[in-house]
Amino acid sequence: MLDLGIVIFAFLVSCALTWGLRGYAIKHNVIDRPNQRSSHSVPTPRGGGVAIVLTLLAALMWFYFSNSLTVDGFLGLFIPGLIVAVIGFLDDHGHIAARWRLLMHFLAAAIGLYFLGSFPIITLFGYDLSLSWIGMTLGCFYLVWMLNLYNFMDGINGLASSEAITFAASSAMLMVVNQYMLAPGSIYPLTLALAGAAAGFIVWNFPAAKIFMGDAGSGFLGITIGLMILHIAKVDSHFFIAELCLLGVFIVDATTTLLRRVVAGKKAYEAHASHGYQNLARKYGSHVPVTLMAVAVNLLWLLPIAYLIAAAKIDGLVGLIIAWLPLFFVAFKCGAGVKDKESNVNA
């Protein structure tokens, strides 16, 4: 009953805050106007993701003061998320140079890893792999890529928030099935709060967008989800790859797109609209089927394989290859990183 209460409370708070932020954005002209990277053709208020930020930061404080989170767990999630959200909020209101954003992203990642203490042990082919300081270094780049790819993938109605909902709900289910929701250091309550908060926002963002998430929300979700994966993996070494498996749609599309653009000699930071999901939205003339397909892939394909990995029924790397290989095929097939926008898609 308490689990459902967390979800419902987070949903109501986030939904109400999104409504208030929409009014704020309209009043202060915080409007997303279509550009060369957009998949929308109508100017729309942005910054609604701050509702998710405020809801989750409040949830973290609640979990800490109710002794559900240790002080390191609390600070290691709260401070990085706050830093990234503030930078994103400022960028939503006025452009901040990419080098300063990236610097703050790495700072947030380093703080999150500092409070984590060590990079999780990863189990591959039956062997436990401890990466020590190499893991902490790679962890910084992993977290920075996670928060930026989440920003890149926040381009059509409902996609970023539905990804957060399915990730959080699937993670919670994996912890319940494997009886890790009450393990020391478990962030199980946070997965429930994330699902509720993202659901509260999606009411205003799907199927038609009355407000966009903005960089504050997408960057916050990216680093928070990235850190949650590391915290979950500290409980069981099989969970790191299982959790990455759940994010296959986002990781494969964003990574394939970036690599193909770099190979083609294009600037990595240059604005574009060539992600696989954007090409599919243009093909179907609507955002709705693309978002629903992503949800279906998450729940019907990636979640079962993630369960097998988490339960140690198949090797993590083998499971990841099985899960992601079709996604790479789809990304290449729909021209991720190659085809760019020729015409706008209506919101």
Side-chain angles (χ1 to χ4, degrees):
M1 192 66 180
L2 177 60
D3 294 357
L4 182 60
I6 292 173
V7 175
I8 293 174
F9 185 74
F11 169 82
L12 293 175
V13 171
S14 178
C15 190
L17 285 173
T18 306
W19 170 78
L21 286 163
R22 184 173 184 273
Y24 168 87
I26 293 172
K27 181 178 179 180
H28 293 84
N29 197 34
V30 185
I31 306 296
D32 191 296
R33 305 187 186 282
N35 57 38
Q36 66 269 33
R37 193 201 142 188
S38 302
S39 294
H40 300 80
S41 58
V42 180
T44 305
R46 71 172 183 267
V50 171
I52 299 174
V53 174
L54 294 176
T55 302
L56 280 189
L57 291 181
L60 283 169
M61 294 179 67
W62 176 21
F63 297 145
Y64 170 64
F65 287 111
S66 63
N67 297 318
S68 297
L69 269 180
T70 64
V71 63
D72 285 345
F74 167 69
L75 294 175
L77 289 162
F78 189 94
I79 296 176
L82 181 61
I83 290 173
V84 171
V86 168
I87 291 299
F89 180 83
L90 295 175
D91 196 46
D92 282 335
H93 285 70
H95 180 68
I96 295 178
R99 64 181 179 275
W100 295 115
R101 292 202 309 271
L102 194 61
L103 177 63
M104 298 308 292
H105 292 168
F106 272 103
L107 174 63
I111 291 172
L113 289 168
Y114 170 79
F115 284 108
L116 186 69
S118 63
F119 196 81
I121 293 172
I122 302 172
T123 299
L124 290 174
F125 302 111
Y127 295 95
D128 290 338
L129 182 62
S130 178
L131 297 177
S132 186
W133 64 269
I134 297 176
M136 297 296 272
T137 303
L138 293 176
C140 272
F141 287 94
Y142 150 77
L143 289 172
V144 171
W145 178 228
M146 282 293 295
L147 76 89
N148 280 283
L149 77 81
Y150 219 94
N151 191 341
F152 299 154
M153 295 297 290
D154 177 30
I156 62 173
N157 301 343
L159 186 62
S161 43
S162 65
E163 184 76 3
I165 294 168
T166 55
F167 166 81
S170 298
S171 297
M173 192 209 75
L174 290 178
M175 282 189 274
V176 169
V177 170
N178 290 280
Q179 300 182 340
Y180 292 137
M181 64 281 194
L182 298 178
S186 172
I187 57 166
Y188 171 71
L190 186 60
T191 63
L192 304 177
L194 174 57
F201 170 79
I202 205 173
V203 169
W204 297 91
N205 186 248
F206 186 79
K210 300 178 181 66
I211 189 169
F212 294 157
M213 184 175 289
D215 289 351
S218 60
F220 174 85
L221 280 177
I223 196 165
T224 298
I225 288 174
L227 284 166
M228 287 173 66
I229 290 174
L230 297 180
H231 280 265
I232 293 170
K234 292 277 280 190
V235 177
D236 188 297
S237 58
H238 294 92
F239 268 65
F240 180 70
I241 296 180
E243 293 289 303
L244 287 181
C245 178
L246 295 174
L247 293 173
V249 170
F250 270 36
I251 294 175
V252 169
D253 192 342
T255 303
T256 302
T257 299
L258 178 66
L259 291 177
R260 294 184 82 183
R261 286 179 59 81
V262 169
V263 169
K266 298 177 181 177
K267 297 175 181 177
Y269 55 84
E270 187 178 53
H272 65 92
S274 63
H275 284 279
Y277 75 88
Q278 292 171 318
N279 291 331
L280 286 174
R282 289 192 289 273
K283 176 182 178 180
Y284 293 115
S286 172
H287 300 175
V288 175
V290 182
T291 296
L292 293 180
M293 281 191 291
V295 171
V297 170
N298 289 341
L299 297 179
L300 302 179
W301 175 246
L302 297 177
L303 175 56
I305 298 175
Y307 163 74
L308 294 175
I309 297 171
K313 296 183 181 296
I314 59 173
D315 179 75
L317 189 57
V318 172
L320 203 64
I321 292 172
I322 294 171
W324 285 9
L325 198 57
L327 302 182
F328 277 110
F329 174 79
V330 172
F332 274 86
K333 188 71 176 176
C334 65
V338 176
K339 296 180 181 179
D340 213 330
K341 184 171 71 171
E342 297 174 356
S343 61
N344 282 321
V345 177
N346 290 329

